[in-house]
Amino acid sequence: MTTTGEDHAGNPPPGAGPWWWGRLRSAVLDVGLGVASALECGAEGVRFARDAGIPVAVGVVFGVLAGSVLVLRRRWPIAVVLVSIAVMPAQMGFLMGIVGLYTLAASELPRRIIASLAGMSFVGMLIVTFVWVRQDVARGNLTFGDWVIPFASGTTAIGLTAPPLLLGLYVGARRRLMESLRERADSLERELQLLAERAEERAEWARGEERTRIAREMHDVVAHRVSLMVVHAAALQAVARKDPEKAVKNAALVGDMGRQALTELREMLGVLRSAGGGERERAVVPLAAVGVAAAAAADRGRSGGDEGAGEGPCLSELDELIGQSAAAGMVVDLSVEGESRSYAPEVEQTAFRVVQEALTNVHKHAAGAKTYVRLAHRVSEIAMQVENEPPPELSSASSARLPSGGNGLVGMKERVVALGGVFVSGPTDAGGFRVSAVIPAV
């Protein structure tokens, strides 16, 4: 903690002033006070030399040296007060005593030391004044009664001791308070800076999480339908000449899915381009809004834009999802164990997305392979598994050559783990691939 007040009894803080002074103006002030005290004590040394019967020059030099000690008041305030007490009997050092007491009281020294030195100064001034007044009364310089001796000595001692002592205590306490407030302000500023840095880190983390969510939502929204479109297009190319009716049917399916995909993309791009209209037309769009819009677009596209959509996909729509894959030429076997019931929206949405992405991966990597979808309703959890057999030899369907970004399995695992579930995926011994997930029902 920084030393406050005018004490600097220890090592003072470094500054622009010379030696032990922290500032240049402090040095100028102390030197000025030292010169004034030296002049005062030097002048009073003439009378002291006459009364003591010593040469005047000796008395003047003694007074100048004693008064010059005041220059050291910030460095050694105790020494200044002791010297002022020592020269009191010589009737000199009044300025040094007053300033020394003030500096001592304003310092960081223990209160017992301040009280002891202040008491010594008071007693010394009381005794010296008592002797002076008594001598004046005895010489006839004062015509008052004997009562003036204790009164004058007491009031003089109090007047020369109490004001500088009280003022020093007040200034020291005020400076310590200001230093404490300054330290608290600095500490608060550091805490606020730390909180701002942490908030920035949390914001950056949230932005990263939201980007991941947007990518996952857009992947779920678009990849499935686009994959089916590519599969239908490949099948259309293969049967265009052999079976015109089937080609027309596949073309219609491709058109419907393309329109749905375009609608969903427009929904997300609309959120990215606009912040809601009006005065915030140019405002930055929160990433969360894009993620929500992506999910909502998937819901509206899947439900055909019906009112009330937007709560997210649910397990009751698995039949429709499997029907779309079957229409693309995939053989899908769905089996459900346990009593079907409703779950929390996020649980049903995650379960639906896992099955959807697993089917999409079968279209991409094992076109034409038979796929088994198993759903188990348990007491406290719901389990799902999508397993496909090894893909057949290269066929017309496999010529679609669907690209893969490698994000499907990552997105499924993130969704399941976020709900406290378990996700496992990998190839089977038979040469196929299996995706399994268990999600807590609560």
Side-chain angles (χ1 to χ4, degrees):
M1 182 174 179
T2 304
T3 305
T4 59
E6 297 188 2
D7 56 315
H8 300 286
N11 294 325
W19 294 340
W20 58 83
W21 288 285
R23 293 176 294 182
L24 180 60
R25 66 178 184 179
S26 299
V28 173
L29 175 62
D30 288 356
V31 171
L33 290 174
V35 172
S37 178
L39 293 177
E40 176 204 356
C41 293
E44 293 170 346
V46 176
R47 183 177 57 181
F48 168 70
R50 292 174 181 174
D51 294 342
I54 61 176
V56 175
V58 175
V60 171
V61 172
F62 173 76
V64 170
L65 293 177
S68 301
V69 176
L70 188 58
V71 178
L72 308 175
R73 70 185 187 96
R74 297 178 191 266
R75 184 70 171 178
W76 295 296
I78 296 178
V80 173
V81 175
L82 290 177
V83 171
S84 68
I85 296 174
V87 299
M88 273 184 192
Q91 300 182 15
M92 63 175 63
F94 296 102
L95 176 62
M96 181 170 55
I98 294 174
V99 178
L101 279 177
Y102 164 79
T103 306
L104 180 70
S107 68
E108 293 289 342
L109 292 172
R111 289 291 178 260
R112 63 179 182 276
I113 297 179
I114 297 175
S116 300
L117 292 176
M120 292 171 58
S121 180
F122 173 79
V123 173
M125 182 62 66
L126 182 65
I127 295 174
V128 171
T129 307
F130 183 86
V131 173
W132 292 345
V133 175
R134 186 174 181 180
Q135 289 177 352
D136 290 338
V137 171
R139 293 171 185 172
N141 296 332
L142 295 177
T143 58
F144 299 100
D146 293 338
W147 61 270
V148 75
I149 298 176
F151 176 77
S153 59
T155 54
T156 302
I158 294 175
L160 294 179
T161 304
L165 181 65
L166 296 177
L167 180 61
L169 291 175
Y170 167 75
V171 172
R174 183 176 179 275
R175 288 179 179 175
R176 285 189 291 272
L177 175 62
M178 295 300 295
E179 184 66 22
S180 175
L181 294 177
R182 189 178 299 109
E183 288 185 354
R184 290 183 183 180
D186 293 341
S187 176
L188 180 60
E189 183 178 358
R190 289 192 296 269
E191 291 179 2
L192 290 177
Q193 184 177 1
L194 181 59
L195 289 176
E197 292 176 356
R198 291 181 178 177
E200 182 62 26
E201 292 176 358
R202 288 195 296 268
E204 186 63 29
W205 176 84
R207 284 193 290 268
E209 290 292 317
E210 203 56 44
R211 290 190 188 98
T212 303
R213 181 189 173 204
I214 293 170
R216 187 168 57 241
E217 293 291 347
M218 294 184 69
H219 182 275
D220 293 340
V221 167
V222 179
H224 182 70
R225 288 194 177 87
V226 173
S227 299
L228 293 179
M229 287 172 58
V230 176
V231 172
H232 281 296
L236 177 62
Q237 182 180 5
V239 302
R241 296 181 180 180
K242 299 180 181 179
D243 192 347
E245 293 183 0
K246 188 174 182 180
V248 171
K249 182 179 179 182
N250 286 341
L253 288 174
V254 171
D256 291 340
M257 293 179 183
R259 282 188 290 271
Q260 291 177 0
L262 286 175
T263 300
E264 295 160 5
L265 286 175
R266 288 194 190 100
E267 291 285 344
M268 287 178 279
L269 293 176
V271 174
L272 287 172
R273 290 181 177 180
S274 173
E279 298 178 354
R280 300 177 57 192
E281 193 170 6
R282 295 186 179 181
V284 178
V285 182
L287 292 177
V290 183
V292 173
D299 303 335
R300 285 192 293 272
R302 186 182 59 259
S303 61
D306 297 339
E307 294 295 333
E311 295 181 357
C314 55
L315 294 176
S316 61
E317 299 174 7
L318 280 181
D319 293 334
E320 179 184 352
L321 178 67
I322 293 175
Q324 293 176 355
S325 297
M330 179 188 295
V331 180
V332 185
D333 182 16
L334 173 64
S335 61
V336 180
E337 301 177 4
E339 184 179 356
S340 179
R341 63 184 188 274
S342 60
Y343 299 92
E346 58 270 17
V347 174
E348 295 210 10
Q349 181 178 359
T350 300
F352 182 90
R353 295 298 192 196
V354 169
V355 177
Q356 181 188 51
E357 181 58 30
L359 293 176
T360 302
N361 287 341
V362 175
H363 283 293
K364 289 182 179 180
H365 307 291
K370 185 174 182 180
T371 305
Y372 301 91
V373 179
R374 299 181 179 88
L375 187 67
H377 299 277
R378 299 171 183 170
V379 177
S380 59
E381 61 187 17
I382 178 173
M384 65 226 63
Q385 177 177 292
V386 179
E387 179 179 351
N388 63 274
E389 296 179 350
E393 297 298 329
L394 289 178
S395 61
S396 60
S398 64
S399 62
R401 297 179 182 178
L402 292 170
S404 176
N407 297 318
L409 294 176
V410 175
M412 284 190 283
K413 184 175 181 179
E414 289 176 350
R415 286 180 178 275
V416 174
V417 172
L419 296 179
V422 178
F423 178 84
V424 179
S425 63
T428 62
D429 296 337
F433 198 84
R434 181 186 299 116
V435 173
S436 302
V438 178
I439 305 174
V442 180

